[in-house]
Amino acid sequence: MNHLPPQDGAGPILMWVSGVLMTFIILTTSLRIYVRIQNHILGWDDGTILIAVALAITRLGFQIEQSKYGNGKHRIYLTPHQYTMINKYGWTAQTLLFCAVAFLKVSICLLILRIKDTRVLRMVVCTVMAGVLVTNFGCVIILLAECRPAGFWRGAAAKCWTPRIRIYSIYATIAYSVVTDMVLSLVPLFVVWKVRIPMRTKVSVCGLMSLGLVATGFGIARAASLGIQTTDLSWMYCIAAIWSNIELFLGIIAANLTLSRAVYLYFFAPNHNHRKDSQYTPNSEREILSPRFSCSRLRGDCVSRTNTIVECKGKRERSETQRSSNSEFELVSGIQKKTEFWVSEGEGDKV
């Protein structure tokens, strides 16, 4: 009896940590989507983050079902039926995890492209997205195909590959996830740092976008908690699930907090003068800095506003030139009329 593992399980820790983080996810996501809808700037990054949140909520639901059978306890203290049901719901939750991580990373990539869309940056971000989709959905395919009928939780009732294939594929996915966490957290820092905005705003935005590095540490902890042993999955996978949920949930919260300045300005500074930002940076780089959003193919409505100057010279023109008090450019003599046009940017559209 002295060599038996402790009876206390890790299931309650998983539930408490996941419940608290899920509360913040629902709050921050709701504020993000509400503000973007009100400002008519809902985009593809918002759609993919909503899918990631839906998958995370569904995953937590399966983990709640696991807890009813004693998830987090060592196998020696569980009945065969309890152990089977824990692995059954855990297998489904694991599949949802890889799907949720994939949509989260894609959402962050699309958000970066909304901030600044250059050719080099697009190539880097698209390469990252392709790798994220291949690694994460590759694990999903392995989980579905490794056993016949599907599900390693069936035990002797199913004919399965060696578990090492699944375990090593998960290790590879975690390694790539850690790398992408670092890339997606550091690339926006270089992008925002080159944008001509006030230093105070620049530092605050960079600080928010670097929150993704916190999730990187928990991704490493998740990899360290996994092993190649498959004899006590009710305990081992519960520990891994704690780190996995922290990594996924913090990643979603960090992606939402990146837009916290826009949320703050919408609720607490509705009459904020956005011209202060516009004098530092063009519209295509100002999405993350204010609730006003520029034209981008990643937007839902995908429109832009341009200014056209129509010059009407009178019969009498003054020979002298005029200079604006706020500009170094000479003004053309005569009457000028300013007209605003809305131009659609969708492919195949005619202006």
Side-chain angles (χ1 to χ4, degrees):
M1 295 295 294
N2 294 332
H3 298 286
L4 292 177
Q7 290 186 348
D8 295 335
I13 299 176
L14 173 63
M15 291 294 97
W16 277 104
V17 172
S18 301
V20 172
L21 293 179
M22 182 56 69
T23 302
F24 285 103
I25 285 179
I26 296 174
L27 176 62
T28 56
T29 304
S30 300
L31 290 174
R32 168 183 178 164
I33 299 302
Y34 176 79
V35 170
R36 286 201 158 182
I37 290 176
Q38 292 299 314
N39 288 307
H40 308 288
I41 56 175
L42 199 66
W44 290 107
D45 58 322
D46 303 305
T48 48
I49 200 69
L50 284 175
I51 296 175
V53 172
L55 292 171
I57 294 175
T58 307
R59 169 179 165 83
L60 183 57
F62 281 103
Q63 290 174 334
I64 293 174
E65 289 297 320
Q66 277 185 293
S67 65
K68 297 179 181 179
Y69 295 94
N71 185 37
K73 292 183 178 181
H74 291 278
R75 182 176 184 178
I76 192 174
Y77 302 112
L78 300 172
T79 64
H81 176 70
Q82 288 176 322
Y83 188 73
T84 300
M85 296 304 294
I86 289 173
N87 288 333
K88 177 181 178 180
Y89 289 120
W91 175 79
T92 307
Q94 196 174 45
T95 304
L96 294 172
L97 170 66
F98 294 116
C99 296
V101 170
F103 281 105
L104 170 61
K105 300 296 178 63
V106 169
S107 176
I108 297 174
C109 290
L110 294 177
L111 176 61
I112 293 175
L113 292 179
R114 288 184 72 165
I115 301 173
K116 189 172 184 179
D117 188 3
T118 63
R119 183 178 180 181
V120 176
L121 183 61
R122 176 175 286 272
M123 292 177 60
V124 173
V125 172
C126 288
T127 301
V128 172
M129 282 195 293
V132 165
L133 295 175
V134 169
T135 54
N136 284 277
F137 284 103
C139 280
V140 172
I141 294 174
I142 291 176
L143 286 170
L144 295 174
E146 66 172 335
C147 294
R148 287 292 180 269
F152 62 81
W153 54 272
R154 299 179 187 273
K159 186 177 180 180
C160 302
W161 304 338
T162 173
R164 293 179 180 270
I165 297 177
R166 179 182 74 252
I167 295 172
Y168 289 148
S169 66
I170 294 175
Y171 272 123
T173 302
I174 293 175
Y176 187 81
S177 179
V178 171
V179 173
T180 55
D181 283 340
M182 298 182 66
V183 172
L184 296 179
S185 298
L186 295 177
V187 167
L189 303 185
F190 293 101
V191 173
V192 175
W193 201 257
K194 293 181 180 180
V195 177
R196 297 178 59 191
I197 58 178
M199 180 59 65
R200 180 179 178 182
T201 303
K202 186 180 298 185
V203 171
S204 62
V205 171
C206 290
L208 291 172
M209 303 190 79
S210 63
L211 290 176
L213 291 175
V214 179
T216 305
F218 292 106
I220 297 175
R222 174 163 68 112
S225 65
L226 290 174
I228 60 175
Q229 300 297 327
T230 59
T231 57
D232 197 7
L233 296 180
S234 58
W235 164 263
M236 185 181 69
Y237 276 8
C238 183
I239 300 298
I242 294 175
W243 299 120
S244 299
N245 282 10
I246 294 177
E247 178 189 10
L248 173 62
F249 293 2
L250 282 183
I252 296 175
I253 294 173
N256 292 332
L257 288 181
T258 303
L259 305 175
S260 59
R261 186 174 187 269
V263 175
Y264 173 81
L265 292 177
Y266 179 84
F267 286 103
F268 300 102
N271 298 322
H272 176 71
N273 185 6
H274 302 289
R275 294 180 180 178
K276 294 181 180 179
D277 286 339
S278 63
Q279 63 180 326
Y280 292 97
T281 177
N283 287 340
S284 61
E285 299 172 349
R286 203 167 63 241
E287 148 64 9
I288 197 172
L289 305 179
S290 70
R292 307 287 184 184
F293 181 61
S294 61
C295 179
S296 172
R297 290 182 176 86
L298 302 176
R299 276 185 59 177
D301 50 359
C302 195
V303 294
S304 64
R305 181 172 63 187
T306 58
N307 296 329
T308 303
I309 302 298
V310 180
E311 179 182 349
C312 301
K313 294 184 178 180
K315 295 182 179 180
R316 295 184 179 182
E317 294 184 354
R318 290 182 292 179
S319 59
E320 68 274 15
T321 60
Q322 298 179 354
R323 188 181 301 271
S324 171
S325 60
N326 297 325
S327 174
E328 296 180 356
F329 299 95
E330 296 180 349
L331 296 178
V332 180
S333 60
I335 302 175
Q336 291 184 341
K337 178 182 178 181
K338 182 177 180 181
T339 307
E340 296 183 349
F341 294 90
W342 286 88
V343 181
S344 175
E345 197 186 37
E347 295 183 0
D349 294 341
K350 295 182 179 180
V351 179

